[in-house]
Amino acid sequence: MQNVGDIFGQVFRAIWSNKLRSFLTMFGIAWGVGSMLLLISVGEGFRSGQRRQLATLGNDLIMMWGGTIPAVANQHTGMRPYNLTLSDADAIRSQASEVRNATAFINRNDLKQQSAYESAGGQAIGAEPNYSGIRFLPIREGRFINDADMHDRRRVIILGDKSARLLFPGRPAMGETVLLNGSRFQIVGIADKTGRGNNDNDNQKIYIPLSVMLEMFPLKGENIPADSVTSIQYQPRIRGDNVAATHQVHEIVARRHGFDPNSKDAFNEWDTIKEEQMVGKIWTAMDVFLGGVGIVTLGLGAVGIINIMLVSVSERTREIGLRKALGATSRSILTQFFLEGLLLTGVSGLIGIGGAALLMFVLQSTLGNSMPGFDPPKLVPWSAALAIISLSVSGIIAGLYPAGKAAALEPVEALRRE
């Protein structure tokens, strides 16, 4: 009877006697496992990065702007523009049962910003109080616009992080005043920094009550309503279910502006829910493809190990015959060759997993959060589980078949072979 130490000693000596052949086979499996894990982790990095990038705009957000419709109903000989209005937003809030919340705002890029120290540019947003609940806008100091500001048309202003630094370099901004085209506004809040790297356009925005914007800086144009707004943005009642909400909003807007709600070209919108679903489907398909490639690679590696073990059985036929003649059992022969195949597969697979994890750690340390829309790759639990399961199956197959061939040899026949 052999003890465990003797069995593993024989296994290691057999592998070491064919170092180059064993190394090349193990390298193939380690490369396949590491590549599969790395590629899947890169795909998941893009998926989570895109999801996080969309979340910086707001959760479950559908954005709508004014569009172009036929000048005469049901005809396409001439087209005319239409503007969304604050009353459209009120109608959506009161009539669209599938809409959880909606907000309207005006966006102006031509308002001069002046403090007692510096001047600056950037987008000026005339917003409703619920804007910060629909769009992602964390407030670092003070508060956002409230209902009293809207009702009383108070001249208050909220500065973005970069705007506060530009207008008040090295100085506190809360409670100070800013001139917009020469009109005084008191600072009641400062937004926290959003975005990463150089993507700081949102940080240079300023916010005033929509009622004040409509009164002092309305949108200009020929034949546009007095309460015209730049955009209406809304969220569906059921998270992630954009179809019913979009249909209701289209019906309301089309009825109010006199065109067919089924005219898709009339709606200028961006559905971040649909965008996220599309990105998710793309990367799911990529994960399936890359996972399949990885499994095929592991399968080819298992075939290579089977071939190596079969060659090893052929080369060691006389050794097997001698050992069986001296009393070795078929079980001990089976165990040794099975362990050789399993060890080759398992060690190379663990090297592949460790190498991939090390490379991902280096990428995380190097890239950090510097790339908008992309998270550094990190080991995905399900892909690691898939690799381990595939390795286990490959190792068992790669070990059992050659081991069975070796154990089935008769001592006399084995000793007679050259």
Side-chain angles (χ1 to χ4, degrees):
M1 292 291 291
Q2 289 180 303
N3 58 36
V4 175
D6 293 335
I7 293 175
F8 275 99
Q10 292 173 355
V11 168
F12 283 113
R13 283 193 295 272
I15 293 175
W16 188 253
S17 64
N18 296 286
K19 296 184 288 293
L20 179 60
R21 190 167 63 189
S22 299
F23 169 77
L24 292 176
T25 304
M26 293 174 68
F27 177 79
I29 290 183
W31 181 265
V33 172
S35 299
M36 179 185 74
L37 294 178
L38 186 60
L39 290 172
I40 290 177
S41 70
V42 169
E44 288 298 309
F46 273 108
R47 186 206 298 267
S48 62
Q50 289 296 315
R51 185 183 297 118
R52 184 179 42 75
Q53 186 79 1
L54 290 173
T56 61
L57 297 174
N59 292 319
D60 275 5
L61 191 62
I62 303 172
M63 306 179 181
M64 177 181 288
W65 297 270
T68 304
I69 56 177
V72 179
N74 300 320
Q75 294 185 16
H76 295 276
T77 55
M79 304 296 285
R80 66 176 177 86
Y82 74 92
N83 287 75
L84 297 174
T85 65
L86 179 57
S87 56
D88 290 335
D90 292 333
I92 291 171
R93 284 190 283 256
S94 62
Q95 300 173 25
S97 59
E98 293 297 328
V99 172
R100 180 167 80 248
N101 204 352
T103 192
F105 66 87
I106 291 177
N107 185 358
R108 294 284 299 265
N109 293 301
D110 56 350
L111 302 185
K112 182 181 179 181
Q113 306 167 24
Q114 180 73 50
S115 73
Y117 311 98
E118 295 288 346
S119 60
Q123 298 180 34
I125 308 294
E128 296 185 281
N130 63 350
Y131 179 92
S132 61
I134 296 177
R135 296 292 298 266
F136 179 73
L137 184 63
I139 301 298
R140 186 176 71 234
E141 295 181 61
R143 62 174 178 83
F144 194 64
I145 297 161
N146 58 32
D147 292 331
D149 297 331
M150 280 285 292
H151 183 268
D152 298 336
R153 292 180 172 81
R154 294 174 180 171
R155 296 186 183 184
V156 295
I157 188 170
I158 291 86
L159 301 182
D161 175 76
K162 186 175 182 180
S163 292
R165 288 186 281 110
L166 291 175
L167 292 170
F168 299 91
R171 296 175 175 86
M174 279 294 297
E176 297 291 334
T177 59
V178 172
L179 300 181
L180 292 184
N181 282 6
S183 299
R184 298 172 65 87
F185 285 77
Q186 184 180 16
I187 300 170
V188 296
I190 299 175
D192 202 358
K193 183 178 180 179
T194 59
R196 297 187 299 181
N198 295 323
N199 184 24
D200 61 354
N201 290 334
D202 286 344
N203 295 314
Q204 202 167 341
K205 291 179 178 178
I206 61 172
Y207 306 87
I208 64 175
L210 178 57
S211 57
V212 177
M213 181 72 87
L214 287 170
E215 180 182 39
M216 299 181 64
F217 314 112
L219 295 177
K220 300 296 184 180
E222 187 177 352
N223 297 323
I224 69 171
D227 64 340
S228 291
V229 296
T230 303
S231 176
I232 295 175
Q233 304 185 359
Y234 60 95
Q235 298 169 307
R237 180 178 60 85
I238 301 174
R239 184 172 295 277
D241 184 5
N242 57 331
V243 177
T246 302
H247 177 74
Q248 283 190 345
V249 170
H250 286 186
E251 289 277 353
I252 292 169
V253 173
R255 183 174 63 251
R256 292 178 56 82
H257 290 272
F259 63 90
D260 184 1
N262 296 316
S263 177
K264 300 299 181 184
D265 294 337
F267 296 100
N268 181 16
E269 59 188 0
W270 181 32
D271 189 339
T272 64
I273 301 171
K274 186 184 295 184
E275 181 90 0
E276 184 176 345
Q277 291 171 347
M278 182 180 66
V279 170
K281 289 178 181 178
I282 291 173
W283 289 111
T284 297
M286 288 297 295
D287 287 346
V288 171
F289 171 74
L290 295 174
V293 171
I295 290 175
V296 170
T297 303
L298 290 177
L300 293 175
V303 171
I305 290 179
I306 291 173
N307 287 332
I308 283 179
M309 298 306 298
L310 287 175
V311 171
S312 179
V313 170
S314 177
E315 291 175 347
R316 295 160 61 187
T317 299
R318 289 179 60 81
E319 174 196 334
I320 294 169
L322 181 60
R323 288 176 58 190
K324 296 189 79 170
L326 293 174
T329 64
S330 295
R331 181 177 180 181
S332 65
I333 301 296
L334 178 71
T335 300
Q336 179 180 344
F337 280 86
F338 173 71
L339 287 176
E340 285 184 31
L342 193 62
L343 190 64
L344 282 172
T345 309
V347 171
S348 54
L350 291 175
I351 292 173
I353 293 174
L358 178 62
L359 181 57
M360 292 176 206
F361 174 77
V362 171
L363 289 174
Q364 288 176 14
S365 303
T366 304
L367 297 177
N369 294 325
S370 60
M371 299 178 63
F374 174 70
D375 287 340
K378 58 183 178 181
L379 196 61
V380 181
W382 71 262
S383 64
L386 176 64
I388 292 171
I389 293 172
S390 302
L391 280 172
S392 301
V393 174
S394 300
I396 291 171
I397 295 174
L400 275 180
Y401 179 67
K405 296 280 287 187
L409 289 173
E410 292 295 333
V412 176
E413 291 296 325
L415 289 170
R416 288 173 58 188
R417 292 191 186 181
E418 296 294 333

